[in-house]
Amino acid sequence: MRLGKLIIFLQLTVLLAILPTPVFAKITAKAFLDSTTFPVTGAARLTITVNGARSAEIDLPEIKGIRFHNRGQSSQFSIINGSYTSSITNTYLVEPLNPGKYSIPPISVIAGDTTVHTNRLEFKVTAGTGAASPSSSPSSIRQQVAFIRLTPPGRHYTGEIIPMEIEVCFNSEYRININSLPVLHGDGVVMAPLDDKPGRHRENISGKTYNVLSWNAAVTGIKAGRHPISFSLDATQVLPGTRRPMASFGDIFNDPFFNNFFGGMVERPIKVSSKKVNLEIIDLPEKGKPEIFTGAIGNFEMGVTATPLKAEVGEPITLTIEIKGKGNFDRVEPPVFPKNSDWKTYTPTTDFISGEDALSGKKRYELAIVAKNSGIKEIPSLSFCFFNPEKQQYETVTSPPLAVNIAPPPDRPITSQAVENKPVQPTKSNKKKVGMSLLHLEKGTFHQTIEPLYKKLWFLVAGGCCIVLLFMVAILQIIQQNRKNNPQRQKKKENRERLSRNFKKLEQARKDGDDILFLSLCRQTIQEQLGPAWGITPSALTLADIQKRINRTSPLTEIFAVAEEAGYGGKGISRQQMDEYLEQLRHELEVSDQGHSIFARSRLPA
Amino acid sequence: MKHRFSAGILVVLLTTFSLAAISTAGSKSLFTRANEAMGKGEYGTAAELYEKLVQKSGYSADVLFNLAVSYEHSGQPGKAILNYERALRLDPSDSDIKGNLHLLRKKNGLYAREFSWSEKFFQLLNMDQWLLASLVFLVSFTLLQLATLRLPLSTALKRTVSVACLFLIALSAAGAFYRYPAYHAWVVTTEGSRLLLSPFDSSKSNGSIQAGRLVFPEKKHHEFVYIKDDTGRSGWIRARDIEPIVPHMR
């Protein structure tokens, strides 16, 4: 075991002896700007490479009109033939604030005890907007934050819907927020509102990844001529804010994440514009233009249906005309129903269902027609005319006539002609017959306004009264419920009822002249009234208890003493005394029941 | 002094009665003249006379009905439907008004969308009728509650009747709420009106809208109103092309 350890130790010693001592190269610093000319809406990448040092502190100068944003640091080291090399690369984004010529002076790099300087850099910031067409050179695209691409519009007719694809490309290296939809600039053309939700995809353009938003726009030329048009869009470029010095936190915050986090974000408005493209608009040919042409340009189909196909004179038939295809549906008008004495027509209703793109769709008309005569065999054919821009000629589509069966009305035909020709006569029911309508011959009651019921006073008063009554009933019910649920109140009520019953018995005994029964009832009444109030069982209440609690001179004490004496000794009392006792009892006990009572005069609390 | 005062009162009363009598006579003559014009087939004249009568004396279901008939025969279905609707607000149970309105709508192809069974149920009554029903149930409920204070009713009976009353109150209130927009709808009165995409004359059209369609205004922009019709279509329309069924205060 010991021998094994010794062998490993010797091997390590030999290996260390063989390995050459690392040789550190001389410390140098170099600055490089990836572009020397860029627009004010763009930015350039500044790379500072420090060779021969493991760590270095870069002291960026403050330059008027320029802001530096730290985009991170990378370091690498290598040992080649015993020679140890290391380098640190710091990357910054140079954001110009104004156009002009700028110079970055030599930047001080402190690596340990050594201070080195980078080379001086010169660059130019142009006043451009950053816009460019896709045909621009790759180098110019590379510098751009965003640009707009357009499909070439070509030559079109007045009123024709021209599909155009607007693609706004955003460099994926930049964080950009969109503030508006693309806006059309140019005279003689109009554009339908763009969709809020554009198509999105990623695309590699000249080696850079771009996020592309695309809209399918529908542009229409409203006058003939060559119209230069362009599109623009407002956006905000979000840039990391300048890092604040946080020396106390050391190198932990030399990380872009923390740098952005503590430095905050800066928003800069930018305008992305497209290159101007020429849109050539020509007028529709006058030659061969049919009279029924209403301005529809595109490629359309027409279908006509009718329901019901069996009807009576005067009964409406719904004619459904469906025009579908691709083109300017806003100029599509319903085919004119041929002027005919057999049919009465009404204004059609329109319904438009848009298709997948801005051009395609389906327009549906519902036309009510009424047959004036029986025996009509068909609904005449309808024609619709449009200009086909692909074939560069006018085309007319015609529907076949639709077979119908029109029967005479069951009784007398009721038509508007009948109304017009025959004067109306009063009927028995005070009404005149006017065609399908009855005429009222009474004026009826006049109202100053047509008032809904909820605004009428009587309705409001009735409703209000009901609500008030319900409220009062609810309060009364609550009071009743509370009374039922209160045991003390219940006891008091029972006491009152018992007292009333006892007084009736006493009255009866007095009337009968039964003094013994009278006194016994007096005793019972006093016991039943005072016992529960003092928490003593009524039958257990004695004279001593009463004397303890009530003044000895109280009539109750006297009555109770006399009643006890009569109970044990059989001593009676006169009728006059009975009257007095009854009066005294009534006074003492009824008053006591109402609250200000003998309890108030008692020596001990009740 | 007393005699002078009495004489003054007498003069005022006589003047008032005379004016009222003249006014009534005027109304009568207008109504009669309008009816005569209808009999002669002069529907335009009849409509004008009925309109004058309405402006002078106010709204009456019968006069509005006759006015609607005159508009119907003078080829103004929009105005006719508006006045039938107004007449229905004053007399919702009049079968003449309902029948004529139904026929006129059918004749002009003003079909409504298909309604669900619950919508059909609520359409059995109009807003006023639902409100009246709710008041009847509220009064019944109140009387029942008052009775329970004195009458010894069983708890089960009280509870059942109360729940039934409350359910019916809620149902009729829901009916009134559902029928509220229809009660306050507007009518397209101009033939050949168009629904526009934006509130200006040169805007693209969304399609035409027939005279007599019920519409529900949502917002206004200068002379244009954004409306939704009873088939669910929406768009801007000129304010002068529509009229409210429930007119503003006279």
Side-chain angles (χ1 to χ4, degrees):
Chain A
M1 190 69 183
R2 277 189 177 179
L3 184 67
K5 279 185 180 175
L6 186 67
I7 290 167
I8 291 166
F9 175 75
L10 284 172
Q11 281 177 343
L12 281 172
T13 314
V14 169
L15 190 67
L16 283 171
I18 291 167
L19 277 174
T21 313
V23 177
F24 288 100
K26 190 187 169 190
I27 295 171
T28 57
K30 193 180 172 188
F32 172 74
L33 206 58
D34 71 341
S35 177
T36 51
T37 307
F38 53 93
V40 74
T41 51
R45 191 181 296 273
L46 170 69
T47 313
I48 300 170
T49 311
V50 184
N51 289 313
R54 285 181 182 177
S55 66
E57 203 176 297
I58 296 165
D59 186 17
L60 282 173
E62 273 187 26
I63 303 167
K64 197 180 173 186
I66 293 290
R67 260 203 301 228
F68 294 101
H69 303 282
N70 193 347
R71 301 301 296 234
Q73 187 188 55
S74 65
S75 56
Q76 66 177 66
F77 67 92
S78 56
I79 302 168
I80 302 164
N81 295 330
S83 169
Y84 179 89
T85 58
S86 76
S87 68
I88 306 158
T89 307
N90 279 52
T91 313
Y92 299 89
L93 202 66
V94 183
E95 181 205 353
L97 302 177
N98 300 307
K101 280 186 176 178
Y102 292 92
S103 165
I104 301 173
I107 299 163
S108 303
V109 180
I110 305 157
D113 299 332
T114 319
T115 302
V116 289
H117 294 93
T118 63
N119 48 312
R120 176 182 287 274
L121 293 169
E122 303 277 345
F123 63 94
K124 189 180 170 187
V125 177
T126 61
T129 56
S133 70
S135 59
S136 305
S137 67
S139 60
S140 65
I141 288 174
R142 201 184 302 135
Q143 291 168 13
Q144 285 168 8
V145 177
F147 60 88
I148 296 179
R149 274 194 315 204
L150 299 174
T151 48
R155 204 170 77 149
H156 296 273
Y157 292 93
T158 318
E160 186 188 348
I161 290 183
I162 307 150
M164 280 189 84
E165 192 174 18
I166 306 165
E167 286 184 318
V168 187
C169 309
F170 297 102
N171 192 330
S172 62
E173 287 178 11
Y174 301 94
R175 197 174 142 192
I176 292 156
N177 295 330
I178 301 166
N179 300 332
S180 73
L181 290 172
V183 180
L184 169 71
H185 303 281
D187 293 327
V189 283
V190 288
M191 182 176 71
L194 292 173
D195 195 353
D196 286 347
K197 290 170 186 167
R200 287 161 189 269
H201 69 272
R202 280 194 154 215
E203 197 177 320
N204 195 303
I205 302 166
S206 304
K208 290 271 174 191
T209 307
Y210 281 81
N211 294 316
V212 183
L213 298 181
S214 58
W215 283 269
N216 288 318
V219 178
T220 309
I222 52 173
K223 63 177 180 184
R226 187 182 282 264
H227 306 291
I229 60 165
S230 66
F231 291 86
S232 72
L233 174 141
D234 290 324
T236 309
Q237 187 181 0
V238 183
L239 296 160
T242 314
R243 185 189 156 192
R244 298 184 192 107
M246 300 186 75
S248 57
F249 291 97
D251 284 336
I252 299 168
F253 296 103
N254 201 17
D255 183 284
F257 170 77
F258 291 107
N259 194 31
N260 292 345
F261 186 81
F262 290 107
M265 306 305 279
V266 179
E267 287 191 346
R268 190 176 64 170
I270 57 167
K271 198 171 194 79
V272 188
S273 302
S274 76
K275 193 179 162 186
K276 276 191 178 173
V277 288
N278 282 319
L279 178 62
E280 199 181 337
I281 303 294
I282 52 170
D283 281 327
L284 286 168
E286 283 299 320
K287 193 184 168 189
K289 187 192 274 186
E291 275 185 19
I292 57 166
F293 178 71
T294 57
I297 304 171
N299 198 356
F300 303 96
E301 286 172 21
M302 182 176 72
V304 180
T305 55
T307 48
L309 291 171
K310 280 184 182 177
E312 289 167 3
V313 171
E315 196 182 338
I317 294 172
T318 307
L319 204 60
T320 308
I321 305 152
E322 204 171 82
I323 297 169
K324 60 181 180 182
K326 284 189 170 191
N328 55 349
F329 275 95
D330 59 318
R331 302 290 287 271
V332 171
E333 295 288 340
V336 180
F337 196 89
K339 280 188 180 172
N340 198 322
S341 60
D342 290 339
W343 296 96
K344 186 176 180 184
T345 57
Y346 295 91
T347 316
T349 58
T350 320
D351 196 13
F352 176 67
I353 303 158
S354 57
E356 288 171 357
D357 54 55
L359 278 175
S360 61
K362 188 164 71 177
K363 214 166 187 178
R364 215 169 81 149
Y365 299 97
E366 280 191 359
L367 174 69
I369 55 170
V370 176
K372 287 181 180 174
N373 306 309
S374 58
I376 299 170
K377 298 292 174 202
E378 59 182 32
I379 297 169
S381 57
L382 301 175
S383 297
F384 170 69
C385 176
F386 61 91
F387 182 79
N388 191 332
E390 285 173 13
K391 294 180 183 172
Q392 297 186 356
Q393 63 181 35
Y394 293 98
E395 286 182 15
T396 304
V397 282
T398 307
S399 71
L402 295 167
V404 283
N405 187 356
I406 305 296
D411 299 321
R412 189 174 57 82
I414 304 165
T415 63
S416 53
Q417 285 167 338
V419 173
E420 282 155 16
N421 299 336
K422 289 178 186 174
V424 290
Q425 295 298 322
T427 59
K428 281 178 190 173
S429 62
N430 263 352
K431 287 166 183 177
K432 287 180 178 179
K433 190 104 179 163
V434 180
M436 287 182 283
S437 319
L438 294 160
L439 202 63
H440 287 196
L441 296 180
E442 293 291 330
K443 279 194 295 180
T445 318
F446 283 98
H447 305 264
Q448 282 309 299
T449 52
I450 299 175
E451 221 172 27
L453 196 59
Y454 65 84
K455 280 189 179 173
K456 287 184 180 160
L457 187 68
W458 70 265
F459 179 82
L460 294 171
V461 168
C465 285
C466 283
I467 289 163
V468 169
L469 277 173
L470 280 173
F471 189 67
M472 284 164 65
V473 167
I475 290 171
L476 284 172
Q477 279 176 343
I478 289 166
I479 291 169
Q480 274 186 354
Q481 201 63 35
N482 278 351
R483 278 184 184 168
K484 273 186 189 173
N485 295 341
N486 191 339
Q488 278 189 336
R489 200 180 275 270
Q490 200 66 20
K491 267 187 183 176
K492 267 191 177 178
K493 194 184 170 188
E494 281 169 14
N495 256 5
R496 261 201 307 276
E497 284 169 0
R498 202 184 304 122
L499 189 64
S500 162
R501 275 197 307 273
N502 285 345
F503 276 127
K504 274 180 190 167
K505 283 180 190 170
L506 282 165
E507 283 281 353
Q508 193 58 44
R510 188 183 61 84
K511 271 184 189 170
D512 298 346
D514 190 346
D515 57 341
I516 301 298
L517 178 64
F518 180 84
L519 286 170
S520 164
L521 283 169
C522 282
R523 186 168 173 263
Q524 187 192 333
T525 307
I526 293 166
Q527 280 180 323
E528 281 179 355
Q529 219 48 41
L530 299 182
W534 293 340
I536 300 169
T537 315
S539 58
L541 188 78
T542 60
L543 182 64
D545 293 327
I546 295 170
Q547 282 172 342
K548 258 188 207 172
R549 287 172 169 80
I550 306 178
N551 200 332
R552 278 173 193 277
T553 57
S554 164
L556 284 182
T557 320
E558 187 196 330
I559 295 165
F560 199 85
V562 172
E564 280 216 323
E565 223 175 291
Y568 298 121
K571 189 188 171 186
I573 53 168
S574 66
R575 188 174 282 272
Q576 196 185 345
Q577 266 184 310
M578 276 198 277
D579 286 344
E580 274 176 28
Y581 282 174
L582 185 59
E583 191 58 35
Q584 283 171 343
L585 264 183
R586 203 183 286 278
H587 177 259
E588 290 293 318
L589 294 176
E590 279 187 344
V591 168
S592 76
D593 188 59
Q594 284 164 15
H596 29 167
S597 58
I598 56 166
F599 306 117
R601 302 199 296 272
S602 62
R603 274 171 273 164
L604 289 171
Chain B
M1 188 67 186
K2 259 188 180 179
H3 286 294
R4 273 187 190 178
F5 183 69
S6 306
I9 289 178
L10 195 67
V11 167
V12 168
L13 283 172
L14 278 172
T15 316
T16 315
F17 282 125
S18 310
L19 283 173
I22 289 163
S23 162
T24 317
S27 312
K28 264 184 192 169
S29 68
L30 269 177
F31 188 66
T32 315
R33 275 161 56 202
N35 282 357
E36 281 168 5
M38 284 292 283
K40 286 176 198 164
E42 295 164 358
Y43 305 115
T45 316
E48 275 177 27
L49 291 168
Y50 285 129
E51 286 281 15
K52 269 186 192 170
L53 181 59
V54 168
Q55 276 183 0
K56 196 175 174 185
S57 306
Y59 302 97
S60 136
D62 296 297
V63 174
L64 287 172
F65 174 83
N66 287 2
L67 176 61
V69 173
S70 64
Y71 274 129
E72 184 182 343
H73 290 297
S74 59
Q76 295 183 63
K79 286 269 188 189
I81 286 171
L82 172 76
N83 286 291
Y84 277 135
E85 288 281 2
R86 282 180 176 173
L88 261 189
R89 299 294 180 274
L90 293 172
D91 192 355
S93 54
D94 192 312
S95 56
D96 283 352
I97 307 171
K98 282 188 202 168
N100 274 15
L101 183 59
H102 176 73
L103 272 176
L104 182 60
R105 285 219 168 105
K106 199 177 162 189
K107 222 168 86 178
N108 285 277
L110 289 161
Y111 305 110
R113 64 181 172 84
E114 192 61 31
F115 294 105
S116 67
W117 68 266
S118 57
E119 286 176 316
K120 279 179 187 164
F121 170 73
F122 284 129
Q123 281 170 356
L124 289 174
L125 301 177
N126 73 8
M127 187 187 74
D128 278 351
Q129 289 167 321
W130 280 117
L131 281 173
L132 195 64
S134 68
L135 183 69
V136 168
F137 295 130
L138 183 67
V139 169
S140 312
F141 182 65
T142 312
L143 291 176
L144 175 81
Q145 295 303 314
L146 281 169
T148 54
L149 287 175
R150 287 284 160 202
L151 296 177
L153 298 173
S154 75
T155 317
L157 179 71
K158 272 195 286 184
R159 203 164 285 172
T160 311
V161 178
S162 298
V163 167
C165 278
L166 287 172
F167 172 74
L168 290 169
I169 291 168
L171 187 73
S172 20
F177 189 73
Y178 171 78
R179 298 288 282 155
Y180 177 87
Y183 193 96
H184 292 90
W186 291 47
V187 177
V188 179
T189 50
T190 312
E191 285 282 347
S193 302
R194 298 187 76 80
L195 279 180
L196 303 174
L197 286 172
S198 310
F200 48 87
D201 283 321
S202 56
S203 164
K204 277 185 187 175
S205 171
N206 208 3
S208 59
I209 186 161
Q210 262 183 292
R213 273 264 174 239
L214 290 188
V215 296
F216 310 96
E218 291 184 1
K219 56 188 170 184
K220 203 177 171 196
H221 182 79
H222 299 301
E223 287 172 5
F224 289 85
V225 183
Y226 187 81
I227 52 113
K228 198 170 224 183
D229 76 357
D230 51 358
T231 60
R233 292 188 314 153
S234 56
W236 292 93
I237 192 168
R238 281 182 199 88
R240 63 168 186 264
D241 292 346
I242 55 172
E243 275 186 61
I245 294 172
V246 178
H248 303 300
M249 290 292 282
R250 288 156 63 86

